[in-house]
Amino acid sequence: TKRMRNASEIEKQNNLMFNLLNELPLHDRYNQNWDHSITNWLPFYWNDFSQNTKYTYIINDISNIEMVFTNFDRSKKKNIKRAKEKLKVINDLDKADFYNNHKYNLNQAGIKISYSREYFYSIFDAATRNNSGKIFAAIDQNGKIHSANFIIWDSNSAYNLISTIDKDFRNSGSTSLVIYEAIKYLSNKTKSFDFEGSMIRGVEYSFRRFGAIQTPYFNIQRNSTKKARIIFSAYNFCKSLIS
C-alpha cells in the first residue's frame, strides 16, 4: 500500500542518514544548508543537531523562456527593457575581474569578502572544466561592470551562487537583465533556476518578483565540542550587542 511504501522510504532515508552520521569526521562544529528536496532530518535531531528553516526562490521550469518572462513582475520587465538600451550582457567575464569587482563592492559597503581568491578560483575552474558554470555580467559602453553573477548548474537546476553589484548602478536594471539573460542561456541546459535563497528582506522581495516559487530548506547545526559551544555562545552574545 501507499502507506507501507512511505514508511519503507522513510526507513531507507533514516538508515542512509545514520550511515552519514557515522562517517562524519571529528569536528567542533557542523553547519550546513541542505538541498530543499531533503525534508527528513530526524536522525540528526536524535543526535542533538538543531534545525532552522530558511527559504529560497525557484523557477521550476525554465524550458520556455517566453513563459518565464511572462511570469516576471511588471517592474522586472520594465527594468530589463530599460537596461537593454544601455547595457550588454557577456558570459565570459574573467574570474579575476569578478573577484576583484565583488571584493571592491563589498568594501564600499564596509563588508569584508567572506571567501578567498584561491577558493573561488578552484570552484570556478572546476565548473568551467565540466561546462557547468559561467559568469554573466552587465557592462556599459565604457566597459564598466554594473553587476555580475556567477552561476553553476547540473542537469536538474542552475544555482545563482554569487552576485555582485556596483552601488553606483543599483538603478540601472542590470541585475534583472543579467538574471534574464542567464536563464535564457540555460533554458536548454537544465530544468530549473534556484536563486539560492536569502533571508534579507530586500533580496527576498527582488527574487520573488521573478515569478519564482518560495521553497523552504533546512539549515542543520551542531556544536560538537565544549570549545565550539563557548565560541558560538560568545559569537551570538556579541551579535546581539551589535544588533
Side-chain angles (χ1 to χ4, degrees), residues 159-205:
Y159 303 89
N160 185 35
L161 196 61
I162 309 174
S163 304
T164 178
I165 180 171
D166 191 313
K167 67 181 181 64
D168 293 333
F169 302 116
R170 286 193 177 275
N171 296 320
S172 70
S174 64
T175 54
S176 298
L177 180 62
V178 167
I179 292 295
Y180 172 63
E181 292 295 337
I183 292 175
K184 201 158 55 166
Y185 176 87
L186 294 163
S187 62
N188 63 352
K189 293 177 174 59
T190 188
K191 299 174 184 176
S192 61
F193 188 91
D194 189 334
F195 285 86
E196 274 292 276
S198 177
M199 302 297 279
I200 300 172
R201 189 170 185 174
V203 178
E204 182 274 342
Y205 177 66

Side-chain angles (χ1 to χ4, degrees), residues 56-101:
T56 185
Y57 278 86
I58 298 175
I59 301 176
N60 289 313
D61 183 359
I62 62 172
S63 61
N64 186 333
I65 190 62
E66 288 79 14
M67 183 61 67
V68 170
F69 184 76
T70 297
N71 290 330
F72 284 2
D73 184 85
R74 183 173 61 180
S75 61
K76 289 295 182 187
K77 295 175 183 176
K78 184 178 179 181
N79 288 343
I80 292 168
K81 182 179 179 181
R82 183 176 72 249
K84 278 185 174 181
E85 296 174 356
K86 298 181 179 180
L87 304 173
K88 71 174 181 177
V89 174
I90 60 174
N91 61 23
D92 57 354
L93 185 70
D94 183 75
K95 61 185 178 183
D97 291 337
F98 179 87
Y99 186 86
N100 292 338
N101 184 269

